[in-house]
Structure formats: C-alpha cells, structure tokens
Amino acid sequence: MGDRERNKKRLLELLRAPDTGNAHCADCGAADPDWASYKLGIFICLNCCGVHRNFPDISRVKSVRLDFWDDSIVEVAVVLQFMIHNGNLRVKAKFEARVPAFYYIPQANDCLVLKEQWIRAKYERREFMADGETISLPGNREGFLWKRGRDNSQFLRRKFVLLAREGLLKYFTKEQGKSPKAVISIKDLNATFQTEKIGHPHGLQITYRRDGHTRNLFVYHESGKEIVDWFNALRAARLQYLKMAFPELPESELVPFLTRNYLKQGFMEKTGPKQKEPFKKRWFALDCHERRLLYYKNPLDAFEQGQVFLGNKEQGYEAYEDLPKGIRGNRWKAGLTIVTPERRFVLTCPSEKEQQEWLESLRGVLSSPLTPLNRLTASTESGRSSR
C-alpha cells in the first residue's frame, strides 16, 4: 500500500473514531464531514471548508478523500498524530469554552454569513476561549441598516437603536430624527436570516406583533460581522426579557425561544371559509414556536393576510391529506386540510412532495404540547382569514 492510500485510510479511521466528535462538522454539525483542517486538527464539511480557506495563517484544509496526503507534500505523520490528539470534541472544548447563551451557533442548514462569522469569531478573533475577555450581555446598540420600504422594493438607509434594558428596538427614517418611525417591544420580536427571500447574502427579517398582526421588516448590512452582531444583540435582549418574564424557568428552556427560523415556507393555494371561493396563491410561513401558520400575498409583504393558530390534537386541531369531498383546487391538485375549532382551512400544494413536507411539519406542531411561552400567544389565538 502506497503512502497516499495508507494516509487516507488512517484519516478515514479517525473520522469514524468513537468519542471524538469527528463524525460531524466541528463548526456547523453537518454529518459525515470529508474535509480536514490539519492546522487546527478538526474535520469540517465542504461549506465550512470554504470559510477556512479565507484565513490560511490560522487554518489549512485538505479533502480527506480527494486530495493527496502524500508524505512529500506535508509531514503527514506529524499531522496525523496532531489530529489524533485533538479531534473535534477537544478543539471545540478549547475554542468554544465560553460561548454566551444568547450567541447563535449555526447549524448545517443555516446561511453562509452565520457560519462565516461563527468560524471567524472562534478561530480568528478567539472570542470564546477560556482565557479571553468575559463577554457580557450587550446593552444598548445603535447603527444603520438598509431597510426595505413597506410599499415598494427600495432599500433605504435607516437608523436603528436597541435599548436592551428597556426591552425596546426603535428605527428612524431620519438620521438625526427625534421621533422614531416604530417602537418595537422585545417581547414580540423575532429575527431570522432570510437571505434567499430578501435577495441579499446578509438579509435579516425582523418580525414583531402590531395590532394583532405580524409586522415584517427586511434589512441588511454590507458587513457580515455587523449584521450578525445585530442578530446576536437582539437575541441577548430577548434573553433578558424572558428571564424577567419567566424567572422560574431555567435558561436552557428559554434559549430556544430567543429567535427561531420558520419550520417551513413556500407557496400554496387556499380557498375561503365557505370552501366555495376561488383558490388563490399565497406565501405561507410556519412559525412552530408561536404555533402560527401565516400567509401572505407575496413573500416580502409587510403584513400577513391571515393566520392560523395551531393548538394540539387534544384541543380539536388536526391536519390531514387531501381535500374535502366535492372540492377541487385551481392549478394544484395535491391537497391538505387543517381543522381548527373555528373552521377548516383547505389548501393545495404544487406537488405531492410539498404536500407531504407540509403535512409532516404541521403534524409535528399539532402533536407537541403547548409550552408556557406558547400561552403568551394563545391568548390571541386566531383562525383569522381576511383574504
């Protein structure tokens, strides 16, 4: 067996070694990573590898399966020994020793800007090492973001001010303006990166409750670090609020409610409450933490056209495949029906695959018990359908 094959075999054995964490990417948790940073002694996925390539002084990467691990190219024996004594779990323990509870750790399906700034914070800026400076909860934050206009697609520079201790986020249409355009309570706020929907690699969607509706703000910043810092500052403010609102709950139960991604989004067609109205195409977004299915005419609308609160099965909520007898969709035939105590919502999906994905997501919400935080929104439970 040649050097290359022998070295590759040893690397693959390291990937499968138990109690090392090597079977998942050291940075985003993706399964079956097939790249190695031999300078850090970790195994990473292809997406995170692309970020590591940007700072060769800190990390050097090679493919476990595709690149040559030849003794003449690198000192493989030394590298392998280094990786044996490190491995993902040990390196994570070193570089993630003090990650604040509010700091979002990206997962495999998250957008690139979150992964990039997480990796840079860990290895380049070394923000979370045990001997680093203590990271406290951010207080106030002020800066400018590009915000999409409510009634048009133009992004304009707007001043944002976060007052974490007061539990407020404000934004202003004039740089020196004294009167904010909106004052947003942290209690009702969520933030989620929606880069594809917004059409910008740093696109962030901020939502909050206003007059019984969900208001959407679509913003971005040219700097990836700046937009991720804003995102984590909003999470920190949410953590402060939730600790005061639910002092009896441990921090670990509050962290999942700091911010959340939509469980599923996409177009479906819906008919009205009588099931005799024409089917109309709408953009749907499923917020599993607030147990709400929201729908919009367009993905970037400022307000939803309607929403469905999703209780659980014991309360009479249900989702099942197909359409009620005698009802046919317009263009799409793969149907599903949501039953609430107030009414039935009849929908059609563009494909059977989409139908099954929606059903799986909806049933997952309906089968889960209501949490204390769900009950904050249950008081405004709604099967509203305005359009």
Side-chain angles (χ1 to χ4, degrees):
M1 182 183 296
D3 292 343
R4 294 175 181 176
E5 291 303 315
R6 182 182 67 252
N7 293 333
K8 181 184 291 187
K9 180 181 178 182
R10 294 177 68 187
L11 283 165
L12 292 173
E13 289 173 351
L14 278 178
L15 271 175
R16 295 188 290 266
D19 304 321
T20 61
N22 294 344
H24 292 84
C25 174
D27 294 326
C28 75
D32 302 318
D34 55 5
W35 289 79
S37 171
Y38 55 87
K39 198 164 186 177
L40 291 170
I42 56 175
F43 292 93
I44 54 178
C45 69
L46 175 62
N47 288 332
C48 291
C49 165
V51 180
H52 280 255
R53 290 185 185 279
N54 293 326
F55 39 87
D57 291 342
I58 298 169
S59 180
R60 295 288 180 92
V61 296
K62 291 172 71 70
S63 170
V64 173
R65 293 178 171 84
L66 301 179
D67 283 335
F68 294 139
W69 291 78
D70 195 310
D71 289 345
S72 63
I73 298 175
V74 294
E75 297 179 11
V76 173
V78 176
V79 169
L80 288 173
Q81 195 65 25
F82 176 71
M83 297 191 75
I84 289 171
H85 284 90
N86 283 275
N88 287 6
L89 288 184
R90 287 188 179 183
V91 175
K92 283 168 69 68
K94 174 183 176 180
F95 286 97
E96 299 178 23
R98 297 184 310 109
V99 182
F102 64 82
Y103 198 99
Y104 184 80
I105 300 177
Q107 304 301 303
N109 293 328
D110 280 316
C111 62
L112 180 60
V113 68
L114 277 170
K115 295 179 182 179
E116 178 184 24
Q117 293 308 312
W118 166 241
I119 292 169
R120 288 190 176 277
K122 281 172 62 175
Y123 307 118
E124 191 175 48
R125 301 193 292 270
R126 300 193 169 204
E127 294 180 7
F128 312 124
M129 294 182 69
D131 57 355
E133 295 182 8
T134 301
I135 301 176
S136 58
L137 287 172
N140 298 342
R141 184 177 182 86
E142 182 177 319
F144 292 90
L145 301 173
W146 291 92
K147 174 189 168 296
R148 188 177 190 272
R150 171 180 166 178
D151 300 318
N152 57 54
S153 59
Q154 186 176 9
F155 281 84
L156 299 173
R157 193 167 181 260
R158 295 291 183 244
K159 178 181 176 181
F160 282 76
V161 176
L162 174 63
L163 303 172
R165 292 180 179 85
E166 290 83 353
L168 298 174
L169 175 68
K170 303 178 181 181
Y171 78 87
F172 300 78
T173 55
K174 297 181 180 179
E175 292 190 12
Q176 304 301 324
K178 295 183 178 179
S179 299
K181 177 67 174 178
V183 178
I184 302 165
S185 171
I186 293 297
K187 169 182 177 292
D188 301 318
L189 182 142
N190 182 42
T192 172
F193 277 92
Q194 298 289 314
T195 57
E196 292 186 10
K197 186 164 70 174
I198 295 173
H200 193 280
H202 304 160
L204 183 70
Q205 179 177 343
I206 299 173
T207 66
Y208 62 97
R209 303 289 295 167
R210 195 177 91 178
D211 300 328
H213 290 275
T214 298
R215 172 72 164 100
N216 298 314
L217 305 179
F218 302 101
V219 301
Y220 72 85
H221 195 282
E222 297 92 339
S223 164
K225 182 179 185 302
E226 185 72 13
I227 197 66
V228 172
D229 284 350
W230 266 104
F231 177 62
N232 282 307
L234 293 172
R235 286 174 57 85
R238 283 275 298 166
L239 182 57
Q240 289 187 51
Y241 159 72
L242 291 175
K243 282 184 173 181
M244 291 187 293
F246 300 94
E248 73 283 3
L249 295 180
E251 188 174 76
S252 60
E253 291 187 24
L254 300 176
V255 167
F257 289 88
L258 300 186
T259 56
R260 67 268 179 193
N261 296 323
Y262 291 115
L263 183 59
K264 183 167 175 60
Q265 297 185 86
F267 282 109
M268 291 189 284
E269 290 188 340
K270 69 175 291 295
T271 184
K274 297 180 180 179
Q275 281 90 59
K276 296 181 180 180
E277 300 86 346
F279 278 80
K280 295 182 179 179
K281 187 178 179 181
R282 296 290 182 257
W283 176 267
F284 285 79
L286 178 56
D287 184 336
C288 61
H289 283 188
E290 287 204 348
R291 309 181 73 102
R292 294 184 187 277
L293 179 65
L294 304 110
Y295 52 92
Y296 305 82
K297 187 175 182 181
N298 298 297
L300 296 177
D301 284 350
F303 291 98
E304 85 279 11
Q305 291 198 321
Q307 59 180 271
V308 187
F309 179 82
L310 301 170
N312 55 33
K313 292 182 178 179
E314 289 72 20
Q315 298 170 315
Y317 292 84
E318 184 183 359
Y320 60 84
E321 189 175 339
D322 219 342
L323 304 174
K325 186 176 180 179
I327 297 177
R328 292 186 177 182
N330 182 13
R331 291 177 297 173
W332 300 334
K333 308 305 178 186
L336 63 89
T337 301
I338 302 172
V339 178
T340 77
E342 290 80 24
R343 59 165 284 195
R344 292 185 304 181
F345 290 82
V346 179
L347 313 167
T348 58
C349 305
S351 67
E352 290 185 359
K353 179 177 180 293
E354 280 287 300
Q355 176 199 50
Q356 294 305 311
E357 289 178 0
W358 275 111
L359 279 171
E360 181 181 353
S361 298
L362 289 165
R363 286 169 175 168
V365 175
L366 295 176
S367 62
S368 63
L370 271 70
T371 68
L373 278 79
N374 292 146
R375 296 187 184 103
L376 280 177
T377 57
S379 59
T380 56
E381 178 178 337
S382 154
R384 290 196 305 270
S385 175
S386 52
R387 289 173 291 278

